[in-house]
């Protein structure tokens, strides 16, 4: 089999480990940098893994799909997960416990006229590297963000009291991996990633239902436990890093071969 990796970071631990497993099994692995002109030449590979979420990466994935090549995750599914408005709307319609999300447009005009009665979380509408994700407790903090990100399209979520730790769930096909990470919204800031040997009942199935809903094969789900212990989904990411999870490279290599 020939497997293509669409990425500008071929040394990423998950990708490099999965590529090593595939090569050791006698399969060809091709690296495609979406920033390189004519990244594709000749016949398409049997399957492509889409790790680059930039506009050039998505356009390259679409070209390959038009040629009939399977792409994991598809360009359409990856694009959906970059729009937090559409992501939330789809989850709510499906009856999943997704954080209440409203779109307010550019940050500065909204911030100038809003009155906060309780803490909120402000996020860039379009998910990307180094985007805006911040807890806002008062109008002073909101004004600071508006000065820094005046024209940023944002979504707003009511802050749900929680332990300050995110449940990081990652899925590769049917395999679900999990860890705890102190939230970047906690007073102490983002902290270490800790093992999570046992998930609350039903959370693995909830994670898989997200994959089915968004047509994702490799994805991450951020869940917090609310005051009564029930799960609340706060974000979904297509093809995250999934670092330091035993068995993840093997699962990714096996998934690539199945999709090929």
């Amino acid at each position: 089999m020939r497997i293509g990796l669409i990425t500008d970071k071929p040394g990423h631990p998950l990708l490099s480990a999965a590529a090593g497993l595939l090569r050791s099994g006698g399969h060809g692995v091709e690296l495609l940098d979406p920033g390189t002109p004519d990244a594709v030449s000749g016949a398409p590979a049997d399957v492509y893994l889409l790790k680059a979420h930039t506009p050039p990466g998505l356009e390259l994935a679409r070209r390959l799909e038009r040629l009939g090549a399977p792409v994991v995750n598809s360009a359409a599914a990856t694009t959906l997960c970059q729009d937090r408005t559409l992501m939330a709307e789809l989850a709510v319609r499906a009856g999943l416990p997704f954080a209440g999300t409203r779109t307010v447009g550019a940050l500065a005009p909204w911030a100038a006229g809003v009155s906060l009665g309780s803490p909120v979380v402000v996020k860039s509408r379009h998910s990307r590297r180094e985007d805006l994700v911040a807890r806002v407790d008062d109008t002073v903090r909101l004004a600071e963000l508006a000065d820094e990100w005046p024209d940023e399209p944002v979504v707003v979520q009511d802050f749900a009291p929680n332990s300050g730790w995110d449940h990081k769930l990652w899925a590769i096909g049917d395999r679900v991996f999990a860890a705890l990470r102190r939230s970047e919204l906690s007073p102490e800031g983002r902290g270490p990633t800790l093992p999570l040997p046992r998930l609350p009942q039903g959370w693995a199935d909830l994670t898989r239902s997200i994959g089915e809903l968004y047509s994702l094969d490799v994805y991450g789900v951020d869940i917090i436990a609310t005051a009564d212990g029930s799960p609340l989904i706060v974000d979904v990411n297509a093809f995250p890093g999934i670092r330091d999870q035993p068995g993840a490279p093997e699962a990714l290599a096996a998934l690539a071969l199945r999709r090929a």
Side-chain angles (χ1 to χ4, degrees), residues 5-11 15 32-35 51-54 129:
L5 307 182
I6 304 174
T7 179
D8 57 355
K9 296 184 180 298
L15 286 183
L32 287 79
D33 185 339
K51 187 69 177 73
H53 301 162
T54 59
R129 291 176 185 169

Side-chain angles (χ1 to χ4, degrees), residues 62 66 143 216 224-225 248:
R62 294 187 189 100
R66 289 194 292 268
L216 294 167
I224 60 173

Side-chain angles (χ1 to χ4, degrees), residues 1 3 14 44 47 56 77 82 84 94 107 109 114 118 120 154 183 236 240 249:
M1 296 288 184
I3 295 91
L14 176 64
V47 67
Q82 290 182 320
R84 289 187 168 108
L107 179 55
V114 71
S118 58
V120 297
V154 296
S183 171
V236 179

Side-chain angles (χ1 to χ4, degrees), residues 12-259:
H12 186 282
L14 176 64
L15 286 183
S16 60
L21 291 169
L22 290 165
R23 291 189 179 104
S24 67
H27 305 284
V29 178
E30 305 167 7
L31 299 176
L32 287 79
D33 185 339
T36 302
D38 301 323
V40 178
S41 60
D46 296 294
V47 67
Y48 292 89
L49 303 182
L50 175 59
K51 187 69 177 73
H53 301 162
T54 59
L58 292 168
E59 179 54 35
L60 176 56
R62 294 187 189 100
R63 286 172 49 202
L64 292 165
E65 289 172 339
R66 289 194 292 268
L67 293 172
V71 178
V72 178
N73 301 291
S74 71
T78 302
T79 301
L80 171 63
C81 286
Q82 290 182 320
D83 188 328
R84 289 187 168 108
T85 296
L86 297 180
M87 182 197 308
E89 290 174 350
L90 187 56
V92 170
R93 285 200 301 268
L96 297 178
F98 202 96
T101 302
R102 58 190 185 276
T103 303
V104 299
L107 179 55
W110 173 74
V114 71
S115 176
L116 296 179
S118 58
V120 297
V121 178
V122 178
K123 301 179 179 180
S124 297
R125 172 173 177 171
H126 302 289
S127 176
R128 62 193 187 278
R129 291 176 185 169
E130 307 301 328
D131 61 359
L132 170 61
V133 178
R135 173 176 170 171
V136 178
D137 290 336
D138 52 44
T139 53
V140 173
R141 175 58 175 150
L142 185 59
E144 292 173 350
L145 291 178
D147 286 342
E148 185 178 356
W149 303 77
D151 300 319
E152 182 76 359
V154 296
V155 298
V156 178
Q157 298 174 341
D158 292 333
F159 178 78
N162 62 90
S163 67
W165 289 82
D166 290 340
H167 292 75
K168 308 290 293 187
L169 285 81
W170 302 282
I172 301 176
D174 290 334
R175 289 282 305 277
V176 175
F177 306 86
L180 279 174
R181 180 183 298 163
R182 193 172 66 215
S183 171
E184 61 188 312
L185 303 178
S186 69
E188 300 85 358
R190 176 171 286 170
T193 300
L194 304 177
L196 183 61
R198 179 176 298 177
L199 276 174
Q201 185 175 3
W203 285 30
D205 289 339
L206 176 60
T207 299
R208 295 187 184 99
S209 69
I210 284 284
E212 294 174 3
L213 179 65
Y214 297 147
S215 299
L216 294 167
D217 290 301
V218 184
Y219 57 99
V221 183
D222 292 350
I223 299 178
I224 60 173
T226 57
D228 63 0
S230 59
L232 184 68
I233 302 166
V234 295
D235 218 345
V236 179
N237 300 285
F239 218 124
I242 320 181
R243 295 173 183 266
D244 304 320
Q245 295 299 307
E250 290 82 359
L252 182 59
L255 173 65
L257 294 177
R258 288 199 304 272
R259 289 299 304 274

